Amino acid sequence: MIKQKWRIPPTQGLGFKLSKGQVVRVTDVEGEQVADFVAYHENDIRERLDPGVTMDALHKLKVKPGDILYTNTYKPMLTVVTDQVGQHDFINPACRSEMYEVLYNKKDHASCYHNLNLAIAEFAIPAPDQHYPVNLFMNTVIHPSGEITVEKPLSKAGDYIELRAEMDLVIAVSACPCSESACNGFMCTPIDVEIL
């Protein structure tokens, strides 16, 4: 049963609360669209979702149903319930306007950093110097040579991931605004978010 549902327009963001035990479903509406996902402990915002700690605790780069996503203090924050894609990014920071200047020579570009800041501001959470999200559906490939490339997401229209909250959370999601690379299949599309 769906308790709440939002559609995040292309290139925009969303902030919301998720209570312990609730499940959030993030859906790639049209396919090949990345959703930057950050989370904070509602009662102590110093505790946040940490992709680096998650990789350290799990000893791997890819998650599967049953796996836990951890906070920066190694506490269970979210549990993967369902995952129809199986390929997400745990290593790249949120895109920001400076990145678009360096990589694409574009000034004042929309960014996940800006979207996430706007989303968490509604809950009186200050903007960090950078966001290190779990980039849902992002297809980052680490080659044997050490080279890192971002390929088109493997997600098809309607594919989703479901995460169960292990504590009361504030969550922000950005429908990534990068149409300059294969990151979003060269076109930005919406993301659906549901609380189940």
Side-chain angles (χ1 to χ4, degrees):
M1 184 174 133
I2 298 170
K3 292 190 72 176
Q4 277 183 286
K5 181 173 182 176
W6 302 269
R7 173 156 292 181
I8 306 175
T11 79
Q12 295 183 32
L14 169 74
F16 59 97
K17 289 185 177 182
L18 188 70
S19 299
K20 182 178 178 179
Q22 287 185 319
V23 173
V24 61
R25 176 186 290 172
V26 181
T27 302
D28 186 350
V29 178
E30 297 182 23
E32 298 184 357
Q33 173 63 46
V34 170
D36 282 34
F37 184 101
V38 299
Y40 292 83
H41 190 317
E42 184 183 355
N43 301 315
D44 183 1
I45 61 169
R46 293 172 300 178
E47 196 158 18
R48 56 174 170 71
L49 178 61
D50 194 310
V53 168
T54 298
M55 288 187 290
D56 188 31
L58 297 179
H59 307 295
K60 59 184 180 180
L61 273 166
K62 292 187 179 184
V63 294
K64 64 182 190 317
D67 284 342
I68 291 168
L69 308 183
Y70 288 87
T71 71
N72 51 314
T73 59
Y74 286 77
K75 291 189 181 77
M77 182 171 254
L78 294 144
T79 299
V80 181
V81 177
T82 307
D83 184 4
Q84 297 186 326
V85 180
Q87 178 69 18
H88 312 282
D89 172 81
F90 282 73
I91 63 172
N92 282 292
C95 66
R96 54 192 295 154
S97 59
E98 296 90 338
M99 182 211 82
Y100 290 96
E101 284 190 50
V102 170
L103 298 183
Y104 305 108
N105 198 29
K106 291 187 175 181
K107 282 189 177 290
D108 303 319
H109 196 290
S111 71
C112 287
Y113 179 66
H114 179 70
N115 289 345
L116 296 170
N117 288 344
L118 284 178
I120 63 174
E122 293 179 41
F123 301 95
I125 299 174
D129 61 344
Q130 176 58 298
H131 287 285
Y132 296 95
V134 171
N135 298 302
L136 299 175
F137 314 127
M138 187 169 174
N139 185 14
T140 302
V141 179
I142 302 173
H143 300 272
S145 65
E147 182 188 8
I148 300 171
T149 58
V150 177
E151 311 291 347
K152 281 187 178 182
L154 304 179
S155 49
K156 307 294 186 215
D159 281 349
Y160 60 82
I161 184 170
E162 293 176 339
L163 303 164
R164 184 180 65 244
E166 303 303 337
M167 54 179 72
D168 292 339
L169 301 174
V170 172
I171 291 174
V173 182
S174 171
C176 181
C178 183
S179 59
E180 287 79 8
S181 77
C183 179
N184 298 304
F186 299 97
M187 182 175 71
C188 299
T189 56
I191 289 287
D192 277 355
V193 175
E194 298 160 87
I195 296 178
L196 308 180

